[in-house]
Amino acid sequence: MLLMALWAWRIDKSPRALLATSWDSNWYARIASHGYGHTLHWPDGAVQSDLAFFPLYPALIRAGKALLPVAGGTVGLALSWVAAGVAAWGIYAIGERLHNRTVATVLVLLWGLLPHAIVLSMAYTEPLLCAFAAWSLYALLTRRWLWAGTLAALAGLTRPNGVAVAAAVVVVAAYELVRRKGAGGWRLWAGAALAPAGWLGYLLWVGSRTGDPLGGYFAVQSGWTSRFDLGAGSLLVVRSMVTTPVFFGFPMALMIVGAGVLLFALFVMDRPPLALLVYTGVLVLITVGGSGFFESKPRFLLPAFPLLLPLATALTKARPRAAITVIAALAGLSFGYGAYLLTLGPMAL
């Protein structure tokens, strides 16, 4: 943030404005102030509706504005910064439970040094989703079924890919019920029922508002060119990179997603807990198989922190000099690329 702020001042831009009002942040602020109903119609026929944005984050911004005499962007930043801290705590708790304190510390450090980690300091929904996801997964690992389901429901009200948390809760609950031959207790049943309620509830609400109960939300997403097509749209973007000049962010996004797929393969080989496997697998599937804003794909992988577990365990076993070199290189990439994305990058985050 300091490096980004220094560069922003150098080019006569406001660091606060960049963090609080860039790209999707403006949509969330508008929803918080005026509710849903804003739509943009573009000359090429594209229709972008604010119904594509899930409601929990703007609702929290509205509540914060009612309690504090500050602008919505400032409330959004405060929410994101607090949520990022809560998420880091949850990620640490998972790392400590599965391994030890050293691995947990390195895991949080690596997560904070991802190339797109600047998003965790912006008025975006990723920090809030990461917080709900981390603690829901921790609740699953510690068999707190009601907490897991409730936090999964809140994750589902935060972002579309919050469905990954619900999937983890439902699959783990189903596995437990099969293993126990249906004798899982009411908390297990209730947690499984609660988990998808937030995500499904918002989809049905958008469907009822648009007159298409089951397909309305997906029609709204299509207006943003976002759809799940098993990666066909992404392949077209990759092909265009070879034949035409593109912004720097596109090949970077391709390399980051490719690294994410490789880390997922290593993660699977480590035989992780079922909850983490399902959660991370769904996030990777959504990122790789979805089309739309290709340059935003690395941001969609920010909540997939379990992918970093193999690297975290490897660094704790490596020689200190090697570990420090890797971490310093990641820091340089994260600081430089984060500053570029917010101050110079012409593509959406």
Side-chain angles (χ1 to χ4, degrees):
M1 286 179 63
L2 177 61
L3 182 63
M4 184 279 299
L6 291 173
W7 184 253
W9 285 323
R10 177 179 172 82
I11 60 175
D12 295 324
K13 291 186 177 181
S14 164
R16 180 204 168 277
L18 290 172
L19 291 170
T21 62
S22 293
W23 304 108
D24 290 355
S25 300
N26 277 328
W27 286 89
Y28 289 116
R30 177 183 285 272
I31 295 169
S33 298
H34 307 290
Y36 286 99
H38 181 64
T39 302
L40 292 179
H41 298 267
W42 296 95
D44 61 358
V47 178
Q48 294 179 333
S49 167
D50 59 6
L51 292 172
F53 297 92
F54 277 53
L56 183 57
Y57 184 65
L60 292 175
I61 293 176
R62 176 177 292 185
K65 287 175 61 179
L67 295 173
L68 301 171
V70 294
T74 301
V75 175
L77 283 181
L79 285 171
S80 293
W81 293 351
V82 171
V86 174
W89 181 17
I91 293 169
Y92 176 89
I94 290 174
E96 184 181 27
R97 181 168 184 84
L98 296 180
H99 296 279
N100 53 54
R101 291 184 177 183
T102 305
V103 172
T105 302
V106 175
L107 178 63
V108 174
L109 179 62
L110 293 175
W111 180 66
L113 293 180
L114 289 172
H116 269 60
I118 190 67
V119 173
L120 300 172
S121 300
M122 297 174 62
Y124 264 48
T125 52
E126 273 72 18
L128 194 61
L129 173 61
C130 290
F132 289 137
W135 285 107
S136 179
L137 293 172
Y138 182 79
L140 281 178
L141 294 176
T142 55
R143 310 174 74 81
R144 295 178 170 92
W145 309 119
L146 281 179
W147 275 110
T150 301
L151 292 170
L154 292 172
L157 284 170
T158 304
R159 284 194 53 77
N161 53 356
V163 69
V165 191
V169 175
V170 171
V171 171
V172 170
Y175 173 78
E176 288 291 324
L177 289 171
V178 170
R179 189 172 66 88
R180 301 181 188 183
K181 298 181 179 180
W186 71 270
R187 287 182 175 83
L188 181 58
W189 285 97
L194 278 172
W199 189 79
L200 286 175
Y202 183 66
L203 261 63
L204 292 174
W205 181 80
V206 173
S208 67
R209 180 157 175 159
T210 58
D212 183 1
L214 298 180
Y217 175 78
F218 301 102
V220 168
Q221 284 285 16
S222 293
W224 288 81
T225 70
S226 295
R227 61 181 64 87
F228 188 79
D229 58 5
L230 296 176
S234 297
L235 288 176
L236 293 176
V237 175
V238 173
R239 187 175 68 177
S240 70
M241 292 184 198
V242 180
T243 58
T244 58
V246 294
F247 292 119
F248 176 58
F250 285 87
M252 275 294 295
L254 178 61
M255 288 188 290
I256 293 169
V257 172
V261 173
L262 176 60
L263 287 172
F264 181 68
L266 296 174
F267 178 66
V268 172
M269 291 170 61
D270 279 348
R271 296 183 178 182
L274 180 60
L276 299 187
L277 178 62
V278 173
Y279 168 72
T280 309
V282 172
L283 286 176
V284 172
L285 180 63
I286 291 173
T287 302
V288 175
S291 65
F293 293 94
F294 187 87
E295 64 275 22
S296 298
K297 286 183 179 290
R299 174 166 62 87
F300 302 157
L301 284 177
L302 272 177
F305 57 85
L307 291 177
L308 301 170
L309 275 167
L311 183 56
T313 53
L315 285 176
T316 58
K317 298 175 183 178
R319 293 183 178 181
R321 181 177 298 178
I324 291 171
T325 300
V326 171
I327 291 172
L330 287 173
L333 173 63
S334 178
F335 296 169
Y337 191 56
Y340 164 79
L341 286 174
L342 266 186
T343 60
L344 299 175
M347 60 286 192
L349 267 172

